Amino acid sequence: MAGAANQHQTPESPPLLLLHRFPSFNLYFLPFLQTKYTVLDPFADPPDPSFPTLSKSARVMLCFGPTPVTSEDLDRYPSVEYVLGTSAGINNFDLAACRRRGIRVTSAGDAYSDDVADYAVGLTIDVLRRVSAADRFVRAGSWPVQNEYTLGSKVSGKRVGIVGLGSIGSRVAKRFEAFGCSIAYNSRKQKPHVTYTYHANVKDLASDVDVLIVCCALTNETHRIINKDVMTALGKMGVIVNVGRGALIDEKELVELLVRGEIGGAGLDVFENEPHVPEPLLTLDNVVLSPHKAVLTPDSFAALEELVRSNLEAFFSNQPLRAEVELN
Amino acid sequence: MAGAANQHQTPESPPLLLLHRFPSFNLYFLPFLQTKYTVLDPFADPPDPSFPTLSKSARVMLCFGPTPVTSEDLDRYPSVEYVLGTSAGINNFDLAACRRRGIRVTSAGDAYSDDVADYAVGLTIDVLRRVSAADRFVRAGSWPVQNEYTLGSKVSGKRVGIVGLGSIGSRVAKRFEAFGCSIAYNSRKQKPHVTYTYHANVKDLASDVDVLIVCCALTNETHRIINKDVMTALGKMGVIVNVGRGALIDEKELVELLVRGEIGGAGLDVFENEPHVPEPLLTLDNVVLSPHKAVLTPDSFAALEELVRSNLEAFFSNQPLRAEVELN
């Protein structure tokens, strides 16, 4: 496969690096990559005339954020051996197709985990203690006029349920322990060496907690794992925080339950059809809405850059990859 | 002194309990107190004709929230032996006058501490990660229109400085430790058995940290302890969170530094002239504003009710008081 590249490149040419992205997505460290690799960009401006030929020889596809990688994409780029993802979630990749072709896949691993965990805690405090609502109240000039203000609910001591106790979930748990919260969780399997209460199904978890924090990967098994039953089990005072993916929750049901006051509140960083946010949410006072930004800090970007750079070097020098996804 | 009350009450009458409050302040558990005590309310509606006489015999003054207790108030109620405060801060009491008269004083103690600490952490995450700003962005319908969103700053690993490592401050420290933050503090004296870095003056603390959390008591010594020098030492990326009292900060300077971008941001639950919030803050995107509500949860109120009830019982049965303030 490297032989095909050599038809167009001298042996000393930098290795080919195929970008796979929505036109609107960019990476700030692309200029650095261009000093080390022959970067092939389908949306180069002006268009790169060598793209159609060279892209067939590229061994690495660098996939930006949520850009889907389908079986057809892999047909189009027959030399790809490695799909390098820049998201923590890789539900946008056809993993079965990658497995069939023997393509290796890496994700952003835990480059974002601290930031997402911090954000999940921030959203939880925000919903329970009504921080954004308070800010809205003050900015609207209501404080001098209305003496009464809706009370929030205490954070310390709450029962926190975590859906998906992975790299992010375990960091969320550690943070809430410092607030004197009790921790329970759901995941495919009970984790060894973890003392938190395990629930084999999400509905049981929901009936046992005050706050449900959704931070598992989106897969066929977890699609709408938070359905109406689960939310009803969480109850009228219960709060849902989603920093995973929008499709982990039945969004239509969530909106109805929130509007009818049948669950207590929600902190949502992700939605089913981003950037579309269901209209009724925009005027509710017991929700905090966020434009899929739990990962967005300069520090996360720096950690991602380091991971991408080191995985590219590792791949081209036959060293082990970090954050590789098991495909079996 | 109890003899004066007996001129108007039978020996079996419930003890007198003098309320001292702004007309707008109320306590939801007052009806309970009325079953146990002869409650004397200067703002009773209709007015209580026995108030002028009986209030002179009351041994306990129950002071609501920030209502001032002046030397003149104590002249007016000569039998008062005990001022029972319902705030954590008691800067509204003339403590020197209380000491001279041998009057005992209690505060809300740590009834609110968990809630205030939770809120301080919430405000910090909110400012650093721009949670309220994100919510504003989504509600304004900007997400589908503007692809770019201002990045927040990572919480995990930040250097957190705490001004006042008391009941609230130490709880704030414990929570931030779980985020992998380093903790430094300033207080009158270095605390024994505490491993956090101590700074004898606030300016040194400010130059050493990314976030300054103000949660000390307001006294003559701490009035405007956060002055221009301290804020300048904190620097352009620094964030201030105030859950103490507005007058702990030179508010005019704070507003100017925020407007000029000379400090990074602020999360403010308290202001110098509440409910007045300085106009320029209302349109800044790097501040989170809150109407003095860090203590306001049903759980805090329940803890306060328990404290007030048990301190009243203790006083009238000569038992030790909880949360008593040392007046020497």
Side-chain angles (χ1 to χ4, degrees):
Chain A
M1 280 176 282
N6 289 343
Q7 290 169 13
H8 305 273
Q9 295 202 291
T10 68
E12 295 75 28
S13 291
L16 299 172
L17 178 61
L18 171 64
L19 305 190
H20 187 63
R21 62 175 182 119
F22 289 129
S24 63
F25 276 71
N26 219 325
L27 271 190
Y28 76 97
F29 54 90
L30 209 51
F32 171 82
L33 296 177
Q34 283 162 329
T35 68
K36 297 265 191 176
Y37 303 96
T38 302
V39 170
L40 305 172
D41 184 352
F43 298 107
D45 183 20
D48 173 2
S50 71
F51 184 87
T53 315
L54 286 185
S55 64
K56 298 214 179 310
S57 310
R59 298 170 63 206
V60 180
M61 174 190 274
L62 175 58
C63 179
F64 287 23
T67 319
V69 176
T70 63
S71 192
E72 292 70 37
D73 291 325
L74 299 173
D75 287 343
R76 206 169 338 125
Y77 306 123
S79 302
V80 166
E81 299 166 38
Y82 172 27
V83 171
L84 198 172
T86 62
S87 284
I90 46 165
N91 54 292
N92 46 318
F93 298 168
D94 184 337
L95 294 179
C98 292
R99 186 174 54 236
R100 281 195 307 273
R101 294 160 191 258
I103 292 174
R104 300 168 75 182
V105 174
T106 60
S107 72
D110 60 6
Y112 304 131
S113 302
D114 277 327
D115 274 330
V116 178
D118 293 348
Y119 208 74
V121 176
L123 285 175
T124 306
I125 303 180
D126 216 304
V127 174
L128 286 171
R129 298 298 310 275
R130 307 176 57 82
V131 182
S132 292
D135 182 78
R136 215 160 36 237
F137 179 83
V138 173
R139 284 176 197 257
S142 304
W143 191 10
V145 186
Q146 282 171 253
N147 191 41
E148 290 299 316
Y149 186 78
T150 314
L151 285 188
S153 176
K154 196 182 191 82
V155 176
S156 289
K158 279 274 183 302
R159 298 169 302 163
V160 172
I162 297 179
V163 182
L165 196 72
S167 159
I168 294 166
S170 54
R171 284 169 168 82
V172 171
K174 182 186 156 209
R175 284 155 178 72
F176 276 115
E177 280 190 283
F179 290 78
C181 293
S182 64
I183 311 288
Y185 73 103
N186 164 260
S187 59
R188 273 168 302 180
K189 294 185 285 209
Q190 185 163 4
K191 309 271 176 187
H193 318 301
V194 162
T195 54
Y196 311 137
T197 307
Y198 175 67
H199 289 280
N201 85 65
V202 189
K203 193 179 162 189
D204 291 345
L205 176 67
S207 7
D208 198 37
V209 299
D210 305 303
V211 180
L212 202 60
I213 299 189
V214 186
C215 45
C216 59
L218 177 62
T219 64
N220 288 338
E221 289 71 41
T222 61
H223 186 258
R224 299 204 178 155
I225 187 173
I226 312 297
N227 57 26
K228 186 179 179 179
D229 271 4
V230 172
M231 293 188 264
T232 306
L234 186 62
K236 268 182 184 307
M237 301 296 288
V239 164
I240 291 182
V241 169
N242 190 2
V243 291
R245 286 288 182 269
L248 292 167
I249 302 185
D250 186 332
E251 192 172 84
K252 196 161 154 280
E253 289 293 350
L254 171 67
V255 171
E256 282 188 18
L257 292 168
L258 281 167
V259 167
R260 293 205 303 264
E262 288 175 26
I263 58 171
L268 305 171
D269 186 48
V270 287
F271 302 86
E272 277 209 58
N273 303 303
E274 297 171 8
H276 171 74
V277 174
E279 191 74 25
L281 295 181
L282 300 179
T283 50
L284 286 182
D285 218 34
N286 56 340
V287 300
V288 180
L289 306 169
S290 168
H292 199 150
K293 62 183 282 288
V295 303
L296 298 185
T297 69
D299 314 75
S300 272
F301 285 171
L304 176 68
E305 173 176 357
E306 195 277 320
L307 179 65
V308 168
R309 288 163 63 157
S310 82
N311 264 348
L312 286 172
E313 279 172 34
F315 178 79
F316 287 114
S317 57
N318 297 311
Q319 299 297 311
L321 301 178
R322 282 157 59 196
E324 185 158 4
V325 178
E326 270 190 57
L327 294 182
N328 296 307
Chain B
M1 278 173 284
N6 288 343
Q7 292 169 12
H8 306 271
Q9 296 200 291
T10 68
E12 295 77 28
S13 292
L16 298 173
L17 177 61
L18 171 64
L19 305 188
H20 187 61
R21 61 173 182 119
F22 288 130
S24 62
F25 276 71
N26 219 326
L27 272 189
Y28 76 97
F29 54 90
L30 208 53
F32 171 82
L33 296 177
Q34 283 163 329
T35 67
K36 296 264 192 175
Y37 303 95
T38 302
V39 170
L40 306 172
D41 185 352
F43 298 106
D45 183 20
D48 173 3
S50 70
F51 183 87
T53 315
L54 285 185
S55 64
K56 296 210 180 314
S57 309
R59 298 171 62 205
V60 180
M61 173 191 275
L62 174 59
C63 179
F64 287 23
T67 319
V69 176
T70 64
S71 190
E72 292 70 39
D73 291 325
L74 298 174
D75 286 343
R76 205 169 338 124
Y77 306 123
S79 301
V80 167
E81 300 166 39
Y82 171 27
V83 172
L84 197 172
T86 62
S87 285
I90 47 164
N91 55 291
N92 47 317
F93 297 169
D94 184 338
L95 294 179
C98 292
R99 186 175 55 236
R100 279 197 307 273
R101 293 161 191 258
I103 292 174
R104 299 167 75 180
V105 174
T106 61
S107 72
D110 61 5
Y112 304 131
S113 302
D114 277 327
D115 275 329
V116 177
D118 294 348
Y119 207 74
V121 176
L123 285 175
T124 306
I125 303 180
D126 215 303
V127 175
L128 286 170
R129 298 299 310 275
R130 306 175 57 81
V131 181
S132 291
D135 182 78
R136 214 159 39 236
F137 179 83
V138 173
R139 285 176 196 258
S142 303
W143 192 10
V145 185
Q146 283 172 252
N147 191 38
E148 291 299 316
Y149 186 79
T150 314
L151 286 186
S153 177
K154 197 184 190 81
V155 176
S156 290
K158 279 274 183 300
R159 298 169 304 164
V160 173
I162 298 178
V163 182
L165 197 72
S167 159
I168 294 167
S170 53
R171 284 168 167 84
V172 171
K174 181 185 157 210
R175 283 156 177 73
F176 275 115
E177 280 191 283
F179 290 77
C181 293
S182 64
I183 312 288
Y185 72 103
N186 164 260
S187 60
R188 273 168 303 180
K189 292 185 284 204
Q190 184 163 4
K191 309 271 177 186
H193 318 301
V194 162
T195 55
Y196 311 137
T197 307
Y198 175 67
H199 289 280
N201 85 64
V202 189
K203 193 179 162 190
D204 291 345
L205 175 67
S207 6
D208 198 37
V209 299
D210 305 303
V211 179
L212 202 59
I213 300 188
V214 186
C215 44
C216 59
L218 177 61
T219 63
N220 287 338
E221 288 72 42
T222 62
H223 186 259
R224 299 205 177 154
I225 187 172
I226 312 297
N227 58 26
K228 186 179 179 181
D229 271 4
V230 171
M231 293 187 263
T232 306
L234 186 62
K236 269 182 182 313
M237 303 296 288
V239 163
I240 291 182
V241 168
N242 190 3
V243 290
R245 285 289 181 271
L248 292 166
I249 301 185
D250 186 330
E251 192 171 85
K252 196 161 155 281
E253 288 293 347
L254 171 68
V255 171
E256 283 188 17
L257 292 169
L258 282 166
V259 167
R260 294 204 302 265
E262 288 174 28
I263 60 172
L268 305 171
D269 185 48
V270 287
F271 302 86
E272 277 210 56
N273 303 304
E274 296 169 7
H276 170 74
V277 175
E279 191 74 24
L281 295 181
L282 300 178
T283 50
L284 287 183
D285 218 32
N286 57 339
V287 300
V288 179
L289 306 169
S290 167
H292 201 151
K293 62 185 277 292
V295 303
L296 298 184
T297 69
D299 314 74
S300 271
F301 285 171
L304 176 69
E305 174 176 357
E306 195 276 320
L307 181 65
V308 169
R309 286 163 65 157
S310 82
N311 264 347
L312 285 173
E313 278 170 36
F315 177 79
F316 287 113
S317 57
N318 296 312
Q319 299 296 312
L321 301 178
R322 281 157 59 196
E324 184 159 4
V325 178
E326 269 191 56
L327 293 182
N328 296 306

